[in-house]
Amino acid sequence: MKPKKTTLAAFLLPCILLFLLIYLVPLVLVAVSSFANWRIGQPLSFAGLSNYVQAFHDKNVRAAVGHTLLWVIAQATIHVFLGTLLAFILAKKFRGWKVFRTVCMLPNVISTAALAMILLNVFKTDGGLVNGLISLLTGSKFEWNWYFNSSTALPAVTLGWLLYPGMITILMLAAITSISNDLLEAARIDGATSLQINLRVILPMVRNTLGTSVIVAATSMLKEFELIYLTTNGGPGNATLNLPLYIYKTAFTENNYSYSNAMSVLLILLGVLIVYAINRLFRMEESDY
Amino acid sequence: MCGTASQTEWAAERVATFNEQYAGQYKVVMEEIPGDQNYIDKLKVLYSADDLPDVIVTGGYNLIDMMQDKLVDLTPYMEEDPEWADFMSDVGVKVNSRDGKLYAVPYIRQIVGYYYNTELFEQAGIESVPATWDEFFEACDKLLAAGITPVSMDTADSGWCTSLMLGAMVGSTDSGEEFMNTNQPTDYNNQDLIDAAARIQTMFQKYTTADAIGGDYAAAANNFFNEKTAIIANGPWMVSKFYDTSVVSEDFADKIAVAAYPEGVMYNSGQIGWSIASKTPEKIEASLAFVKFMTSEESQRLDLEVCSVVPDCTIADADVYPLVNETIALADTAEHSINDYQSLWHATVVDEVSVQYPLLADGSITPEQFAQALTDAAA
């Protein structure tokens, strides 16, 4: 039985109202104010496109967009690859796989603040885990400021999330284990090797979940904030600055709200473009099976 | 209001006493926010929302220039009460005034030298306090040769200890002293600051702990308390910690002495005090009563005795640690008196030093580029 349109509308109404109030109205305000001069202690005035022109010439915006894109790409490829690989391994259900699955999820379930504190201790200059390990292996005291040396800050921060694909593993594992055993059995009877089954049967069947995973991973980098803020705060210089952090700093340190909002609009547009591109890449509207 | 860590005990006691004295008439509700920067950020948000608290004290950060339009001009109240007006020091009034209008009531005199560990100095064979920056670096070399890390430094949260050293280096010349007493400078491309940045770069690379880059004040102070470093730049509010055996060894205070920076430089100025942002006459009256109470001689005496915070007014017979009086004496005889960067530099510049210090430290930027970065931040 087809539900009545009015019934559907009644069920959707609270959600639509909440969306309008919590997301759409602030979004419109952000977009409108991005065309203004709005700074602390100064009167509000119309600025036209000047905030966008400023963003185009701002070296910090270039660095922030560059790092954001780099992290989006790294997360959409390396992070998802690692998560998918782990899911394929766990799907074999070897002895102790459940324990391993739980361990994989740990970085995703503890608070970001706690994770940042752990990572600060891991990469600490004096007595940190990494430096301690290198000192142990080389036999001489090794001190390197991983987070605050401009040559290592970016990779050190990136390691804070790149190697923990627990969420992707769980998503992919759920998709893999939902594939009918009959299908895999048929492939085996037809003489397919384990690698062929994984690549030619399972992977195409979980394409939509893989696409979703890529979207989840990539878009998480568009809003990554806490871990960077709590470890390097975007430094040294702008070596680990990304758009969310620069937006925050522009709003709350420089108190330039309109410029901050202009960058927020750019971030939203970037997000829409990324999601659109991933959807096209994975043909997520279509189904092969 | 801002309860900076070293004054929390004092502030809590004073607010409780005020509420007791004015019971039934006024009641002050204090909101504590951990960390100066968080407090400043919150005030900026409240300012934007036109929702500032009735009374503000910023722990030395200059918010007057930014929030002037929302602060009550206290000049008429000063004129109404000449005794109260006379009680404030001239330098305190000057720092808290803009265009002849008083926007905050002074209660602190900002005095900062540096503290050093005499035992570690002796171990390194340093016989006298360095009088010039060349002598200072010679002393650092001697400390290094004795296996002692010379100076506690930091870069996070505007790198308080490091920036105090930087300011003292800048203020070593007449032109530098003038620069360090300029409110909200816009051009940092001067030779004094570039030379100072070069020295700071050397200090980062040779004379400080490995955790200084990216480290905050607490880490820098801990290194000094644990006798890992021999020198720390800070004000007398730190002195009470020298006697706190939960933090330091029992005889630690006996080993510590205070000195002026080389070339006779001392931070010696008024400090931004208590502002009122109330909107109605009734609330202004209540806020004024509270501000007068918090800046009274009794309150300033307690602040001095409990927290070693040097008062704006003169208190001759206060019961304080000898190091505090020695710091005041050094300030009174300083050849160059300068103000601190947090009070005078624009907030974006104060934030920028934290961003640039690590780059300066690892040689990614030159001292000239450091100065240019501060100039850009001030624009």
Side-chain angles (χ1 to χ4, degrees), chain B residues 6-75:
Chain B
S6 62
Q7 286 178 274
T8 308
E9 193 186 339
W10 169 80
E13 190 280 334
R14 288 286 81 194
V15 169
T17 307
F18 177 84
N19 284 339
E20 208 175 286
Q21 274 185 23
Y22 288 84
Q25 192 180 0
Y26 305 130
K27 187 180 178 191
V28 171
V29 179
M30 183 166 64
E31 181 187 352
E32 286 190 47
I33 298 164
D36 285 3
Q37 195 59 52
N38 295 331
Y39 173 80
I40 299 301
D41 288 347
K42 174 148 189 183
L43 276 187
K44 286 176 185 172
V45 172
L46 293 174
Y47 168 87
S48 300
D50 195 13
D51 194 24
L52 280 174
D54 290 297
V55 176
I56 303 163
V57 62
T58 59
Y61 285 84
N62 172 21
L63 294 184
I64 290 180
D65 291 290
M66 187 182 282
M67 302 181 177
Q68 201 172 326
D69 61 319
K70 297 276 191 281
L71 302 179
V72 175
D73 172 14
L74 299 167
T75 323

Side-chain angles (χ1 to χ4, degrees), chain A residues 40-41 145 150 237 252 255 257, chain B residues 44 47-48 213 355 359 362 364:
Chain A
I40 198 166
N145 203 331
S150 36
F252 294 104
N255 306 109
Y257 304 114
Chain B
K44 286 176 185 172
Y47 168 87
S48 300
I213 319 299
V355 175
L359 296 176
D362 70 17
S364 298

Side-chain angles (χ1 to χ4, degrees), chain B residues 181-193:
Chain B
N181 288 312
T182 305
N183 192 27
Q184 307 222 327
T186 52
D187 187 0
Y188 293 76
N189 291 311
N190 60 70
Q191 202 53 48
D192 294 310
L193 194 127

Side-chain angles (χ1 to χ4, degrees), chain B residues 6-8 55 71 106 109 136 138 144 179 203 217 226 276 291 294 317 320 326 364 374:
Chain B
S6 62
Q7 286 178 274
T8 308
V55 176
L71 302 179
R109 184 177 163 200
F136 182 84
E138 279 167 24
L144 269 189
F179 179 79
M203 286 172 73
Y217 163 74
N226 294 331
I276 294 176
V291 168
M294 294 302 278
D317 57 342
V320 293
E326 287 166 30
S364 298
L374 300 196

Side-chain angles (χ1 to χ4, degrees), chain B residues 301-375:
Chain B
R301 174 190 292 275
L302 269 175
D303 206 6
L304 173 62
E305 292 180 347
V306 176
C307 308
S308 304
V309 170
V310 180
D312 176 66
C313 65
T314 307
I315 297 172
D317 57 342
D319 180 19
V320 293
Y321 297 112
L323 267 179
V324 176
N325 281 332
E326 287 166 30
T327 314
I328 296 170
L330 285 171
D332 289 340
T333 54
E335 285 174 50
H336 296 285
S337 291
I338 58 174
N339 205 331
D340 83 88
Y341 68 104
Q342 280 185 352
S343 299
L344 293 186
W345 293 359
H346 193 278
T348 51
V349 181
V350 172
D351 189 58
E352 189 65 18
V353 291
S354 274
V355 175
Q356 298 299 327
Y357 277 149
L359 296 176
L360 189 68
D362 70 17
S364 298
I365 58 168
T366 61
E368 286 80 5
Q369 287 169 321
F370 177 81
Q372 184 59 49
L374 300 196
T375 306

